[in-house]
Amino acid sequence: MKKRTKIYISIAVIVLLVAGSSYVFRKQLAVMAFDMFLSKRVESSLQKAYQPLESKDNGPTKPAEPVVYQNKPFSVLLLGSDQRKDEPARSDTLIYAVVRPKDSKVLLISIPRDTYTEIIGKGKKDKITHAYAFGGQQMSKDTVEAFLNHDVDYYATINFQGLKDAVNALGGVELPIQKDIVNKGRDHEKFTVKANKPIYDGEEALNYVRYREDSDFNRTKRQQVFLDAVANRMLHLNQISKIPELLDIMGDNFQTDMQPKFIIDLAKQILTGSEAQITSYTIMGEGMKIDGIYYDKPIRKDVEKAKALIDNWENPDTPTDQLMLPNDTEEDAAK
């Protein structure tokens, strides 16, 4: 009896120690659990999404070797497709992201879909969203690189239809909707998204992103808010066990040229680091019509500001306290 009592006491002490330290080391414990139970399955699922692009010499682009700890900033072209069965594929969302893993900071440069620019490989100017329809991820990447005069290290394409199911799997997302959103145009899908709900399901969140009866700029802002809300929901520690389910849901709706191990190591690094901070900037445009078709003519100073932000954030020698913010000037950042 005494021996059994000692065993029970020992177990109780261990439980108390684990419980007491779990708050301090909750992130490390989460990563340990991920490595033990989920890592292999996640890597297998991500392998299905791995789609390297063709280089200009028609050979597959050789990806950089993944590293356990990512120090240098890198860029990702985020392409959000809202393709329906009866529509051609277009990238409704184009975001040039700069990720600084060491600082746990991300810069999002949004380019509205109607932005009028040279489509690289097509030999003409058009809406930047049409680059995806003409030549997929590669033409989108080439066009954005030319538009911003900066290389893109990686791309990631997400179809919002798949993201809708992922939102449901996460139990919904929080969205700052203060007024009912009603899509009622004659040529548009009819829907209403009610304001001031504590949580929104996948269909409501997708309609929030799809709403197009105000302006391309506002729609771009909603896309930023939506992606940020999904990211915050997924980063919650209690969602880790759902990662394999989410990857299964995404299925063919997610493609990237980031290697699976790179993504896994980066995710663990972000999880154990400080709370991620996202900074957003949108390139504004002036509406114009050519042959009866509406376009956004990008404002030159906004494009130059975007380039300056990217220069500043992609420089690994830029101290955290000297990272430019959208309202800063280059002189402000240098102080």
Side-chain angles (χ1 to χ4, degrees):
M1 177 65 71
K2 289 183 179 180
K3 185 176 181 180
R4 185 178 301 173
T5 301
K6 288 181 180 180
I7 292 175
Y8 289 157
I9 292 174
S10 298
I11 293 174
V13 170
I14 292 172
V15 169
L16 286 172
L17 286 173
V18 171
S21 63
S22 63
Y23 179 80
V24 178
F25 298 107
R26 63 192 185 281
K27 292 182 178 181
Q28 288 82 353
L29 289 171
V31 171
M32 185 185 301
F34 176 86
D35 281 337
M36 291 176 63
F37 304 113
L38 301 176
S39 184
K40 292 298 182 183
R41 183 178 171 188
V42 169
E43 187 169 355
S44 176
S45 296
L46 285 173
Q47 193 63 47
K48 301 173 185 176
Y50 178 58
Q51 298 288 334
L53 297 178
E54 294 292 312
S55 63
K56 290 183 173 61
D57 60 0
N58 294 322
T61 302
K62 183 179 180 181
E65 282 294 318
V67 293
V68 174
Y69 192 87
Q70 181 74 21
N71 281 301
K72 294 182 180 179
F74 63 91
S75 60
V76 183
L77 176 61
L78 303 176
L79 298 168
S81 171
D82 190 19
Q83 184 184 11
R84 326 283 179 87
K85 292 182 179 180
D86 56 346
E87 293 180 348
R90 282 189 292 266
S91 52
D92 275 14
T93 300
L94 294 97
I95 298 176
Y96 186 106
V98 180
V99 182
R100 293 178 61 95
K102 191 175 180 180
D103 305 324
S104 294
K105 293 182 180 294
V106 179
L107 171 69
L108 302 179
I109 303 290
S110 291
I111 309 171
R113 65 194 297 276
D114 291 338
T115 298
Y116 188 64
T117 190
E118 182 76 22
I119 306 298
I120 304 303
K122 199 65 180 176
K124 69 171 187 176
K125 284 193 171 184
D126 204 337
K127 295 182 180 184
I128 198 167
T129 184
H130 289 166
Y132 190 87
F134 295 145
Q137 292 101 333
Q138 184 66 63
M139 191 171 288
S140 292
K141 176 177 179 288
D142 294 340
T143 298
V144 170
E145 286 181 336
F147 179 66
L148 292 175
N149 196 28
H150 281 85
D151 291 339
V152 171
D153 294 320
Y154 305 99
Y155 84 89
T157 301
I158 301 172
N159 188 316
F160 282 124
Q161 287 294 120
L163 206 51
K164 178 187 73 173
D165 295 332
V167 168
N168 286 333
L170 289 169
V173 292
E174 298 177 13
L175 295 171
I177 303 176
Q178 299 176 346
K179 182 180 178 181
D180 287 0
I181 295 174
V182 183
N183 217 47
K184 55 187 177 182
R186 184 177 61 184
D187 300 326
H188 295 162
E189 179 182 346
K190 308 298 187 294
F191 60 74
T192 298
V193 183
K194 292 292 185 180
N196 301 314
K197 294 181 64 173
I199 204 82
Y200 291 88
D201 64 25
E203 187 69 30
E204 292 169 320
L206 187 58
N207 286 337
Y208 171 76
V209 173
R210 282 177 175 163
Y211 180 65
R212 59 179 67 189
E213 294 181 6
D214 47 5
S215 69
D216 195 25
F217 173 76
N218 287 337
R219 191 181 194 208
T220 300
K221 282 294 185 182
R222 284 192 293 274
Q223 291 166 355
Q224 290 176 347
V225 171
F226 173 57
L227 293 175
D228 192 19
V230 172
N232 287 335
R233 193 76 169 177
M234 291 182 71
L235 284 174
H236 287 171
L237 292 178
N238 60 359
Q239 304 292 353
I240 284 181
S241 62
K242 295 185 178 180
I243 291 176
E245 178 188 356
L246 292 170
L247 290 172
D248 289 341
I249 287 172
M250 296 307 291
D252 296 333
N253 295 297
F254 175 63
Q255 293 180 328
T256 183
D257 59 351
M258 289 183 280
Q259 292 189 53
K261 189 176 187 304
F262 178 91
I263 297 175
I264 290 172
D265 288 344
L266 181 65
K268 290 191 292 187
Q269 182 177 337
I270 292 174
L271 184 63
T272 55
S274 57
E275 184 176 350
Q277 296 181 338
I278 299 176
T279 299
S280 300
Y281 180 71
T282 301
I283 297 174
M284 297 288 287
E286 298 172 341
M288 66 176 187
K289 282 190 175 182
I290 300 176
D291 297 329
I293 300 175
Y294 178 86
Y295 299 92
D296 272 329
K297 181 181 179 181
I299 297 174
R300 190 75 250 158
K301 68 174 184 178
D302 282 15
V303 178
E304 294 306 315
K305 180 58 175 284
K307 292 178 181 178
L309 284 164
I310 295 170
D311 279 335
N312 177 263
W313 280 65
E314 286 191 344
N315 184 350
D317 296 325
T318 302
T320 303
D321 61 358
Q322 290 183 22
L323 289 173
M324 285 183 66
L325 299 177
N327 294 327
D328 291 342
T329 64
E330 292 185 68
E331 290 74 19
D332 293 331
K335 290 178 181 180

